Amino acid sequence: MKTLIFSTHPFEKPFIQEAFKLKKNQEFHFSKDHLSIQSAIQAKGYDAISLFTSDDASAKVLKKIKSYGIQYIALRSVGHDHIDLKSAAKLGIKVANVPEYSPYSIAEHTVALLLALDRKIPLGQELIKQNNFCLDSLVGFDLKGKTIGIIGTGRIGAAFARIMHGFGCKLLGFDIIQNDELMEQTDIIYTSLNKLCAQSDVISVHCPLTKFTKHLVNKKLFKSMKKKVIFINTARGSIVNTVDLIEAIENKTIAAAGLDVYEFEIPIFFINHLDKPIEDKLFKKLQSFPNVLITGHQAFLTNEALKGIAATTASNLDEFSKKGSSKNELF
Ligand code: NAD
């Protein structure tokens, strides 16, 4: 089987090379370009492609790669909101994702954002660089005893819940499926989304982006939140209505926001913009707030997670080549 790996980043290359060493019947090549209608031609001559979250796997692009002979797609992500699965199925292209890799990578990054915002680490650093050691603007709060609202208590949400349980926090959860084991381990209480918002001092989003969760966090929900909540999103940008988020920051419903994902991140993230300024007005607005901490979709970026992503991607492709199906196939 011959695979073209689109959107290859230097940080993941050694992990992919290592994972493929064990798969003898696999030939693979790297492309640093992201998949788009223009770059789809690169797929010619391959049986499979591997995609990153920034790739465009919409119906028209899938149709094009199918015409070049692509039969399989291995996603290097948990999230699969960037691929039109219905069109892939219609075209007979089989798709597999990485349903699980270190959930601690994202959960721990969520904690990093929360602690940095609560204890005002970025502002403190800035002041120290100006030789200003006054503490007056740096007062935070103890997390012990505070209420943490977790939207989506799957692998990552549960890992985050366990960490916050260790901090001595009270946990509220909202999910379409209750996690009984997590309830036993952390005393998390499942409640409605509105009650979670009304009672939480910190709200963290960990559900997938689906047609049901697009703009789940919107003006109405921000209105139901406790004033001065810390809001964190490390899941997907489009779960949150960005215009409404900006309004909630401006009207001080939100004391601070930690964002690893952004609704319109695709032309911005994973690229060095030193030579081409960012035009996106909403993003520039978010960047301008001193109480907003943005990371560029890097929550997954640990050695353990990269190793896990590469290993599952290689074995998904191996299964496709040997059996024509994969245990991680998406339907
Ligand atoms: P998971 O499938 O284990 O958990 C998702 C949870 O969300 C499940 O418990 C599910 O029942 C729940 N859910 C689904 N629809 C919901 C709804 N409408 N309302 C409330 N809850 C709902 O997935 P996971 O591994 O925990 O990953 C969660 C998400 O995190 C992924 O879908 C992905 O978008 C995002 N993610 C981000 C990064 C990053 O680097 N920032 C990395 C990996 C994953």
Side-chain angles (χ1 to χ4, degrees):
M1 173 121 98
K2 251 181 103 179
T3 303
L4 182 64
I5 302 177
F6 275 101
S7 296
T8 320
H9 298 273
F11 63 73
E12 59 180 341
K13 262 188 176 176
F15 294 95
I16 296 172
Q17 280 158 335
E18 190 59 34
F20 273 93
K21 258 189 202 164
L22 305 167
K23 312 287 177 203
K24 298 288 174 227
N25 57 340
Q26 299 288 325
E27 184 185 332
F28 67 95
H29 296 103
F30 292 124
S31 169
K32 63 178 177 26
D33 297 328
H34 76 272
L35 176 63
S36 65
I37 201 76
Q38 290 81 20
S39 67
I41 184 79
Q42 293 180 29
K44 213 171 185 172
Y46 288 89
D47 311 296
I49 57 170
S50 173
L51 301 182
F52 192 61
T53 50
S54 52
D55 286 309
D56 176 2
S58 56
K60 64 176 190 307
V61 179
L62 292 174
K63 209 171 154 194
K64 200 144 196 198
I65 58 161
K66 178 70 187 179
S67 75
Y68 298 139
I70 294 300
Q71 301 176 63
Y72 305 110
I73 298 180
L75 303 178
R76 304 197 298 290
S77 57
V78 176
H80 45 80
D81 46 274
H82 56 303
I83 182 158
D84 186 334
L85 285 176
K86 266 192 194 155
S87 300
K90 262 191 218 152
L91 291 161
I93 301 175
K94 295 195 173 181
V95 183
N97 73 337
V98 180
E100 188 172 6
Y101 59 86
S102 170
Y104 311 106
S105 60
I106 301 102
E108 289 173 13
H109 190 82
T110 307
V111 180
L113 289 173
L114 171 55
L115 284 173
L117 288 166
D118 171 21
R119 305 307 293 269
K120 306 193 169 50
I121 307 287
L123 175 61
Q125 276 301 292
E126 239 175 74
L127 294 177
I128 281 175
K129 282 187 181 145
Q130 295 159 17
N131 289 334
N132 179 351
F133 291 83
C134 293
L135 300 180
D136 300 327
S137 51
L138 302 179
V139 181
F141 58 80
D142 287 3
L143 281 165
K144 182 171 172 20
K146 296 297 183 297
T147 301
I148 314 288
I150 304 173
I151 302 176
T153 57
R155 292 179 193 92
I156 297 167
F160 175 64
R162 287 189 197 99
I163 299 171
M164 298 324 292
H165 179 63
F167 272 67
C169 298
K170 187 181 160 196
L171 305 177
L172 295 178
F174 172 73
D175 199 306
I176 46 172
I177 303 163
Q178 293 195 1
N179 183 336
D180 293 338
E181 194 191 0
L182 190 67
M183 283 163 84
E184 247 172 59
Q185 290 169 337
T186 66
D187 297 327
I188 190 168
I189 298 167
Y190 283 94
T191 185
S192 69
L193 192 51
N194 278 314
K195 281 193 184 144
L196 179 150
C197 287
Q199 292 171 27
S200 298
D201 301 294
V202 173
I203 296 174
S204 192
V205 183
H206 298 287
C207 60
L209 172 62
T210 65
K211 62 179 176 191
F212 303 109
T213 62
K214 185 170 160 77
H215 289 182
L216 178 73
V217 183
N218 54 30
K219 194 181 183 115
K220 203 168 150 221
L221 206 68
F222 283 123
K223 267 197 184 148
S224 71
M225 289 179 190
K226 211 172 177 176
K227 281 268 171 195
K228 303 234 182 277
V229 63
I230 292 188
F231 178 77
I232 315 274
N233 184 10
T234 56
R236 282 292 180 269
S238 299
I239 299 169
V240 180
N241 181 314
T242 306
V243 173
D244 298 350
L245 170 67
I246 289 171
E247 191 187 305
I249 295 164
E250 282 175 334
N251 70 26
K252 301 201 171 21
T253 301
I254 290 179
L259 310 172
D260 187 53
V261 285
Y262 166 61
E263 190 171 1
F264 310 107
E265 71 181 42
I266 289 205
I268 302 175
F269 286 5
F270 311 116
I271 298 164
N272 185 343
H273 290 268
L274 265 182
D275 298 328
K276 18 176 184 121
I278 293 167
E279 306 286 347
D280 184 326
K281 288 201 177 88
L282 287 179
F283 188 74
K284 285 196 341 207
K285 186 81 191 164
L286 285 172
Q287 272 183 314
S288 73
F289 291 121
N291 52 345
V292 173
L293 183 53
I294 302 172
T295 52
H297 206 141
Q298 72 175 75
F300 71 101
L301 209 60
T302 67
N303 288 320
E304 291 79 1
L306 292 171
K307 192 175 170 190
I309 294 168
T312 306
T313 302
S315 67
N316 285 344
L317 288 162
D318 203 38
E319 283 181 4
F320 276 142
S321 76
K322 286 179 178 153
K323 304 186 293 189
S325 64
S326 156
K327 66 173 179 306
N328 296 322
E329 222 167 297
L330 297 165
F331 299 99

